[in-house]
Amino acid sequence: MIRGKNVSQALAILRYSNKRAALGIEKCVKSAIANANEAAEKANISVDPDDLWLKAAYVHRRPTKNRRPMRPAPQGRAYKERRHFCHVTVLVSSDKQDAQTKADGKAGEVKPAVSKRARRGGAAAAPRAKRAAKPEGQATAEKSAAEDKPQKKASKAASKLGSALRRKKKTEE
Protein backbone atom coordinates (compact mmCIF):
# COMPACT_ATOMS: atom_id res chain seq x y z
CA MET A 1 0.00 0.00 0.00
CA ILE A 2 2.84 2.41 0.79
CA ARG A 3 5.89 0.73 -0.74
CA GLY A 4 7.79 2.89 -3.20
CA LYS A 5 5.94 6.06 -2.19
CA ASN A 6 7.31 9.36 -0.96
CA VAL A 7 7.35 9.56 2.84
CA SER A 8 4.81 12.39 2.95
CA GLN A 9 2.46 10.47 0.61
CA ALA A 10 2.84 7.32 2.70
CA LEU A 11 2.02 9.18 5.91
CA ALA A 12 -1.05 10.73 4.28
CA ILE A 13 -2.23 7.31 3.08
CA LEU A 14 -1.74 5.78 6.53
CA ARG A 15 -3.40 8.69 8.33
CA TYR A 16 -6.62 8.43 6.32
CA SER A 17 -6.66 4.65 5.97
CA ASN A 18 -9.35 2.70 7.81
CA LYS A 19 -7.09 -0.30 8.46
CA ARG A 20 -6.54 -1.31 12.08
CA ALA A 21 -2.75 -1.52 11.75
CA ALA A 22 -2.39 1.88 10.06
CA LEU A 23 -1.67 3.76 13.30
CA GLY A 24 1.15 1.40 14.31
CA ILE A 25 2.67 1.44 10.83
CA GLU A 26 2.47 5.26 10.78
CA LYS A 27 4.44 5.39 14.05
CA CYS A 28 7.06 3.05 12.56
CA VAL A 29 7.41 5.24 9.45
CA LYS A 30 7.84 8.36 11.59
CA SER A 31 10.44 6.54 13.67
CA ALA A 32 12.29 5.48 10.51
CA ILE A 33 12.34 9.11 9.33
CA ALA A 34 13.75 10.24 12.69
CA ASN A 35 16.37 7.46 12.60
CA ALA A 36 17.42 8.46 9.07
CA ASN A 37 17.81 12.10 10.13
CA GLU A 38 19.83 11.11 13.19
CA ALA A 39 22.13 8.83 11.17
CA ALA A 40 22.61 11.58 8.57
CA GLU A 41 23.55 14.11 11.27
CA LYS A 42 26.13 11.74 12.73
CA ALA A 43 27.67 11.27 9.28
CA ASN A 44 27.61 15.05 8.56
CA ILE A 45 25.20 14.61 5.66
CA SER A 46 22.20 16.86 5.14
CA VAL A 47 18.99 14.95 4.43
CA ASP A 48 15.64 16.59 3.82
CA PRO A 49 12.87 14.45 5.35
CA ASP A 50 10.51 15.32 2.47
CA ASP A 51 12.96 13.80 -0.05
CA LEU A 52 12.93 10.36 1.60
CA TRP A 53 11.24 7.36 -0.06
CA LEU A 54 9.97 4.10 1.38
CA LYS A 55 12.18 1.45 -0.13
CA ALA A 56 10.51 -1.48 1.66
CA ALA A 57 7.81 -1.99 4.28
CA TYR A 58 6.73 -5.40 5.49
CA VAL A 59 5.48 -7.26 8.55
CA HIS A 60 6.25 -10.81 9.61
CA ARG A 61 5.38 -12.89 12.65
CA ARG A 62 7.64 -13.12 15.63
CA PRO A 63 8.03 -16.41 17.45
CA THR A 64 5.85 -16.92 20.54
CA LYS A 65 8.38 -19.13 22.34
CA ASN A 66 8.60 -18.46 26.09
CA ARG A 67 5.84 -15.85 25.81
CA ARG A 68 2.92 -17.95 27.08
CA PRO A 69 1.23 -16.52 30.16
CA MET A 70 -1.19 -18.75 32.03
CA ARG A 71 -4.90 -17.95 32.26
CA PRO A 72 -7.23 -19.41 34.84
CA ALA A 73 -9.62 -22.09 33.63
CA PRO A 74 -12.53 -23.91 35.27
CA GLN A 75 -11.99 -26.62 37.90
CA GLY A 76 -8.51 -25.48 38.91
CA ARG A 77 -6.95 -25.88 35.46
CA ALA A 78 -4.92 -23.34 33.53
CA TYR A 79 -4.83 -22.45 29.85
CA LYS A 80 -1.68 -21.33 28.09
CA GLU A 81 -2.41 -18.12 26.23
CA ARG A 82 -0.42 -17.81 23.01
CA ARG A 83 -0.09 -14.16 22.14
CA HIS A 84 1.13 -13.49 18.64
CA PHE A 85 3.55 -10.67 18.05
CA CYS A 86 5.06 -9.30 14.86
CA HIS A 87 8.08 -7.45 13.52
CA VAL A 88 7.52 -4.35 11.38
CA THR A 89 10.34 -3.45 8.99
CA VAL A 90 10.45 -0.08 7.25
CA LEU A 91 13.40 0.86 5.02
CA VAL A 92 13.74 4.53 4.11
CA SER A 93 16.04 5.74 1.33
CA SER A 94 16.92 9.08 -0.21
CA ASP A 95 17.33 7.48 -3.66
CA LYS A 96 14.22 8.37 -5.65
CA GLN A 97 15.05 6.13 -8.60
CA ASP A 98 15.29 2.94 -6.50
CA ALA A 99 11.85 3.52 -5.05
CA GLN A 100 10.26 4.26 -8.42
CA THR A 101 11.72 1.23 -10.18
CA LYS A 102 10.58 -1.02 -7.35
CA ALA A 103 7.07 0.44 -7.49
CA ASP A 104 6.87 0.20 -11.29
CA GLY A 105 8.39 -3.28 -11.37
CA LYS A 106 10.51 -2.38 -14.39
CA ALA A 107 13.87 -3.04 -12.73
CA GLY A 108 14.01 -6.58 -14.09
CA GLU A 109 11.73 -9.13 -15.63
CA VAL A 110 9.61 -10.90 -13.08
CA LYS A 111 8.43 -14.43 -13.66
CA PRO A 112 4.74 -15.10 -12.98
CA ALA A 113 4.00 -16.67 -9.64
CA VAL A 114 3.50 -20.42 -9.67
CA SER A 115 0.39 -21.64 -7.89
CA LYS A 116 0.50 -24.13 -5.03
CA ARG A 117 -1.23 -26.72 -7.21
CA ALA A 118 1.39 -26.46 -9.93
CA ARG A 119 4.20 -26.74 -7.37
CA ARG A 120 2.72 -29.94 -5.96
CA GLY A 121 2.47 -31.46 -9.39
CA GLY A 122 0.63 -34.70 -10.07
CA ALA A 123 -3.16 -34.66 -10.43
CA ALA A 124 -3.44 -31.19 -8.88
CA ALA A 125 -1.50 -29.64 -11.79
CA ALA A 126 -3.27 -31.70 -14.47
CA PRO A 127 -6.14 -29.26 -15.20
CA ARG A 128 -3.62 -26.51 -15.97
CA ALA A 129 -1.69 -28.74 -18.32
CA LYS A 130 -4.88 -29.59 -20.24
CA ARG A 131 -5.71 -25.91 -20.72
CA ALA A 132 -2.20 -25.12 -21.93
CA ALA A 133 -2.23 -27.93 -24.50
CA LYS A 134 -5.32 -26.71 -26.47
CA PRO A 135 -5.05 -26.28 -30.25
CA GLU A 136 -4.28 -22.80 -31.60
CA GLY A 137 -7.77 -22.21 -33.06
CA GLN A 138 -9.47 -22.61 -29.71
CA ALA A 139 -6.89 -20.48 -27.92
CA THR A 140 -7.41 -17.49 -30.26
CA ALA A 141 -11.21 -17.73 -29.87
CA GLU A 142 -10.81 -17.60 -26.09
CA LYS A 143 -8.45 -14.60 -26.33
CA SER A 144 -10.90 -12.57 -28.41
CA ALA A 145 -13.72 -13.41 -25.98
CA ALA A 146 -11.55 -12.36 -23.04
CA GLU A 147 -10.67 -9.05 -24.73
CA ASP A 148 -14.37 -8.15 -25.11
CA LYS A 149 -15.00 -8.36 -21.35
CA PRO A 150 -14.78 -5.05 -19.41
CA GLN A 151 -11.89 -4.70 -17.00
CA LYS A 152 -12.43 -4.64 -13.25
CA LYS A 153 -12.92 -1.13 -11.81
CA ALA A 154 -10.95 0.15 -8.83
CA SER A 155 -12.79 0.65 -5.54
CA LYS A 156 -14.36 4.03 -4.78
CA ALA A 157 -12.00 4.74 -1.88
CA ALA A 158 -8.93 3.99 -4.00
CA SER A 159 -10.15 6.19 -6.84
CA LYS A 160 -10.92 9.08 -4.45
CA LEU A 161 -7.48 8.80 -2.86
CA GLY A 162 -5.80 8.65 -6.25
CA SER A 163 -7.68 11.69 -7.53
CA ALA A 164 -6.86 13.63 -4.35
CA LEU A 165 -3.15 12.81 -4.74
CA ARG A 166 -3.24 13.86 -8.41
CA ARG A 167 -4.88 17.18 -7.50
CA LYS A 168 -2.26 17.77 -4.81
CA LYS A 169 0.51 17.01 -7.29
CA LYS A 170 -0.93 19.48 -9.83
CA THR A 171 -1.15 22.24 -7.26
CA GLU A 172 2.49 21.65 -6.22
CA GLU A 173 3.68 22.02 -9.82
Side-chain angles (χ1 to χ4, degrees):
M1 192 157 113
I2 59 172
R3 278 184 220 148
K5 303 261 194 250
N6 189 334
V7 168
S8 57
Q9 287 178 345
L11 287 173
I13 290 169
L14 290 170
R15 183 168 293 134
Y16 297 110
S17 175
N18 61 353
K19 303 286 185 188
R20 185 174 72 178
L23 180 65
I25 303 295
E26 183 181 354
K27 287 181 182 180
C28 288
V29 170
K30 286 181 179 178
S31 175
I33 295 167
N35 289 342
N37 285 338
E38 187 68 28
E41 281 183 17
K42 285 184 180 178
N44 276 342
I45 302 171
S46 63
V47 173
D48 186 20
D50 294 330
D51 293 338
L52 294 174
W53 293 80
L54 284 174
K55 202 170 188 179
Y58 54 90
V59 178
H60 57 88
R61 284 179 71 176
R62 192 180 98 181
T64 59
K65 187 176 181 183
N66 299 330
R67 298 284 302 202
R68 296 181 186 163
M70 303 298 267
R71 298 197 64 199
Q75 297 181 354
R77 296 191 202 106
Y79 292 140
K80 284 186 176 180
E81 179 186 337
R82 292 192 67 181
R83 292 191 61 198
H84 297 284
F85 298 92
C86 60
H87 289 290
V88 178
T89 305
V90 177
L91 295 176
V92 181
S93 174
S94 60
D95 300 333
K96 180 177 177 179
Q97 192 160 5
D98 287 347
Q100 284 182 341
T101 55
K102 196 159 199 166
D104 294 341
K106 295 178 183 176
E109 277 196 39
V110 180
K111 293 181 182 179
V114 179
S115 68
K116 289 182 181 179
R117 284 184 172 185
R119 269 189 261 142
R120 279 190 303 207
R128 268 183 208 272
K130 287 179 185 175
R131 278 186 266 150
K134 287 185 179 178
E136 288 184 22
Q138 290 179 355
T140 55
E142 288 178 2
K143 281 184 185 176
S144 62
E147 290 172 0
D148 295 340
K149 292 181 184 177
Q151 291 183 351
K152 186 178 177 183
K153 290 185 178 180
S155 67
K156 287 184 180 179
S159 64
K160 285 182 181 179
L161 181 63
S163 61
L165 290 174
R166 282 192 293 277
R167 273 188 261 124
K168 182 180 176 186
K169 201 174 202 180
K170 284 182 183 178
T171 56
E172 288 176 358
E173 293 173 355

